[in-house]
Amino acid sequence: MTPPPSSQSATEQAAATSHPSLQELAASGLPGHVPVAAVTRGEAIESVHYGSAVLLDPQGRILASLGDTSSRFYPRSALKPLFAVGMLRAGLELDDEQLALAAASHSGSQRHQDVALGTLHAAGLQAADLGNSTDLPYGPAERTAWLAAGGAATQLAQNCSGKHAALLALCRLKGWDTATYLAPGHPVSELLAETVQELTGEQITSASADGCGTPVYPLSLPALARGFARLANAPQGSAEARVAAAMRRHPELLAGECRDVTALIRAVPGLIAKDGFEGVQAVALADGTSLAVKIADGSDRARMPVTAKLLLEHLGGAAPAGLRQLASSPAYGGGEVVGELAAL
């Protein structure tokens, strides 16, 4: 793995750089997103979502694209499976459930929290060692049940606790400081940057922090898709193949019940997928065909219809029925269906 060519790491550079204003960023050019999804109500188009997407063949060549495929954006939680590869390569031992949760934006069920706690306990750590932000469970049903039982926002319930538990376990294994594992320049930050750069084939030149505190790196859509392809068709026994297998076996841990990513993985044999906040979706089929989607306004609701349409167009008559069900959702009025949300 080759680090960014600089005397400073990417995370150190990011920490030392002041944040440009919105006006400064906009002056350099906004991404060229295009309309990708819309909501109808009665005889009118009520709302339109803009975005960009790319579909790559197993050799990384563009099969289809929408909008701007060259501008960089933050993949957010879609980076987690790539991070998990780096942790395995560094020697961390996790079972399939722990590995799926390390790559997850989980719904916060008791099972999710128990698996994260198991990862910590196996390394001689406790929930108090977690450095991620606190939150209520991400899944609506899980949140309702948690609140009904008197639960409050905690680090363990937050959707990234599996990743943070694995990062802490890696620190304990390697003898790295656990109290500063989220700090720029920490060996964890360097490992994650190097892994993402190697898997995506795109040089990392800057970094920021995700909502939970771990680093995030701006990538183009083709780079994110390439990274997922590396996992989906990796040689058996490799770290990439192990992460992909855990995602396929335990989509309920990677996301949760009643989550669209869980339904997508179950619908298409061999597929791996991971969503990210601000309207990001990455997918790869077992043969290495891959795609990445970014919704311009950060809306979560347009992410899956656009993804499903691209997959349906690629798979044609071989597309499973479960995939078709993800391509649209109804719009209601007075309890009746009066329109739909669908990709354009």
Side-chain angles (χ1 to χ4, degrees):
M1 296 182 289
T2 305
S6 170
S7 59
Q8 283 186 306
S9 70
T11 50
E12 288 172 329
Q13 291 176 43
T17 303
S18 61
H19 303 299
S21 69
L22 173 59
Q23 289 72 25
E24 290 171 325
L25 290 172
S28 65
L30 294 173
H33 295 301
V34 299
V36 293
V39 180
T40 62
R41 183 172 297 273
E43 298 181 357
I45 293 178
E46 185 169 46
S47 301
V48 177
H49 292 287
Y50 284 66
S52 298
V54 69
L55 177 72
L56 305 181
D57 72 10
Q59 287 71 48
R61 298 172 299 208
I62 295 178
L63 293 173
S65 65
L66 299 168
D68 187 343
T69 61
S70 60
S71 292
R72 294 192 180 197
F73 65 100
Y74 289 108
R76 303 295 294 271
S77 288
L79 289 175
K80 289 175 180 175
L82 309 187
F83 289 170
V85 170
M87 288 187 266
L88 290 184
R89 287 176 172 178
L92 183 62
E93 290 293 334
L94 298 173
D95 64 29
D96 277 354
E97 290 193 353
Q98 294 168 328
L99 187 52
L101 202 76
S105 296
H106 64 72
S107 289
S109 71
Q110 191 60 57
R111 182 184 176 199
H112 292 137
Q113 296 186 47
D114 287 345
V115 173
L117 200 56
T119 300
L120 290 169
H121 288 172
L125 298 160
Q126 303 296 326
D129 294 305
L130 290 168
N132 57 309
S133 53
T134 62
D135 204 352
L136 296 170
Y138 180 70
E142 289 82 0
R143 183 179 304 173
T144 298
W146 183 252
L147 289 172
T154 69
Q155 290 166 302
L156 203 59
Q158 197 263 347
N159 74 90
C160 302
S161 63
K163 173 184 67 177
H164 283 262
L167 289 172
L168 282 166
L170 176 63
C171 288
R172 180 57 59 89
L173 172 71
K174 306 293 282 187
W176 299 338
D177 183 45
T178 56
T180 61
Y181 76 101
L182 296 178
H186 190 281
V188 160
S189 296
E190 306 318 308
L191 172 68
L192 299 183
E194 291 170 11
T195 304
V196 170
Q197 181 167 276
E198 190 269 323
L199 289 174
T200 64
E202 193 160 88
Q203 185 180 23
I204 291 174
T205 57
S206 64
S208 188
D210 209 336
C212 67
T214 50
V216 286
Y217 313 104
L219 297 172
S220 67
L221 285 166
L224 180 59
R226 285 195 302 267
F228 272 66
R230 287 283 302 274
L231 273 62
N233 63 357
Q236 288 298 313
S238 65
E240 295 93 322
R242 279 207 56 207
V243 173
M247 295 168 71
R248 291 169 180 139
R249 289 171 185 156
H250 295 290
E252 78 287 354
L253 292 176
L254 183 74
E257 297 299 341
C258 301
R259 294 272 295 280
D260 57 12
V261 170
T262 301
L264 178 61
I265 294 174
R266 288 173 174 169
V268 184
L271 176 146
I272 62 170
K274 182 70 187 73
D275 55 336
F277 281 171
E278 299 297 323
V280 177
Q281 183 67 61
V283 174
L285 300 173
D287 68 353
T289 300
S290 59
L291 68 90
V293 172
K294 167 62 180 173
I295 304 302
D297 62 5
S299 170
D300 190 59
R301 70 179 184 177
R303 166 184 54 79
M304 189 54 71
V306 175
T307 299
K309 182 181 180 183
L310 285 167
L311 288 172
L312 285 167
E313 291 174 345
H314 174 70
L315 293 172
L323 179 57
R324 300 184 189 281
Q325 295 171 6
L326 294 169
S328 65
S329 58
Y332 292 97
E336 301 293 331
V337 176
V338 296
E340 68 171 345
L341 163 67
L344 293 168

